[in-house]
Amino acid sequence: MGSAPSHEAAPPDHEHYRTMARKSAVMRQHYSEQSQTAYRSGNGAKAKELSLTAKQHGLEMDRYNDIAKGIIFTAHNQSRPRHELDLHGLKVREAIEITRVRLAEFVKNKEPNLIIIVGQGRNSMNGIAKIKPAVTELVKEYHVKATPNKPNQGCIYIEHLPKNEDVDYSWIGGFFSGMLKSLYTTIFG
């Protein structure tokens, strides 16, 4: 269950792809700056050529990051039960992308619960969690109950709201809460 730490470390080759992505990002920036310089000097054709090269490096960066994401995600999740989702080692954007898909499946399939393992941020810069607050925000888009730090720190326990429990509208503000609650009741009963 979510209480056990991930024993499967991501294979070392994921770092190779992250390194390649960083190199592509540097090249993208370099060619983008060169393109801007050429444009400012009135050489539109050279600017366009350099801009296209920069875009190619950007696509390479995305491709390398996607490969690394797949390696990391598989390593952390292949031996986990379906109701657990481990986001360790992913970039925030990647974690959100994966969580969005998994939450949609959770709701569609009416699964009883989902444990999203977000970690505590120990490996984040300055030890400040980045994935947990982003996932917490994302969960608000779904008609589910999210309990942070359950079954332990670094997890978010997701379950469906009971039929008689309303959506938490506190984040919208007092004025709109009553109006939306009424609309929700009208639409969903």
Side-chain angles (χ1 to χ4, degrees):
M1 191 186 253
S3 57
S6 297
H7 294 292
E8 308 87 11
D13 56 337
H14 84 279
E15 273 303 323
H16 165 75
Y17 291 105
R18 290 293 194 206
T19 299
M20 295 301 292
R22 284 188 289 274
K23 287 179 181 179
S24 292
V26 168
M27 295 303 292
R28 178 188 64 180
Q29 181 64 31
H30 169 76
Y31 283 105
S32 180
E33 288 170 1
Q34 293 286 319
S35 171
Q36 292 169 13
T37 301
Y39 181 79
R40 282 192 298 271
S41 69
N43 191 345
K46 185 69 173 172
K48 184 172 182 167
E49 176 187 327
L50 291 165
S51 177
L52 291 174
T53 302
K55 286 179 183 175
Q56 278 304 118
H57 284 289
L59 292 173
E60 282 180 10
M61 177 192 72
D62 291 342
R63 187 172 59 83
Y64 289 134
N65 276 326
D66 280 345
I67 294 169
K69 173 183 75 172
I71 293 168
I72 294 166
F73 182 78
T74 300
H76 287 292
N77 288 279
Q78 66 186 355
S79 63
R80 290 199 174 274
R82 173 112 175 105
H83 73 279
E84 291 184 6
L85 176 65
D86 190 342
L87 302 175
H88 279 102
L90 297 172
K91 295 177 176 285
V92 174
R93 177 183 48 80
E94 297 167 345
I96 291 301
E97 185 180 293
I98 289 169
T99 303
R100 187 178 304 281
V101 170
R102 186 61 186 93
L103 279 170
E105 291 172 357
F106 170 79
V107 170
K108 178 183 172 199
N109 298 332
K110 297 181 173 98
E111 298 172 35
N113 63 60
L114 174 64
I115 298 169
I116 303 174
I117 304 165
V118 292
Q120 297 180 40
R122 290 186 183 136
N123 295 319
S124 296
M125 188 177 285
N126 300 323
I128 298 170
K130 292 180 181 74
I131 292 177
K132 187 175 187 177
V135 168
T136 301
E137 260 321 290
L138 173 66
V139 168
K140 291 178 182 178
E141 296 176 18
Y142 296 83
H143 186 70
V144 296
K145 179 179 180 182
T147 307
N149 302 320
K150 179 181 176 183
N152 59 41
Q153 292 284 336
C155 293
I156 301 173
Y157 186 82
I158 308 293
E159 57 192 323
H160 293 278
L161 291 170
K163 294 278 185 208
N164 60 354
E165 190 172 329
D166 283 336
V167 178
D168 177 11
Y169 293 102
S170 62
W171 61 274
I172 296 173
F175 177 76
F176 293 107
S177 179
M179 185 171 38
L180 286 175
K181 203 178 242 187
S182 173
L183 179 63
Y184 181 83
T185 304
T186 303
I187 294 171
F188 297 103

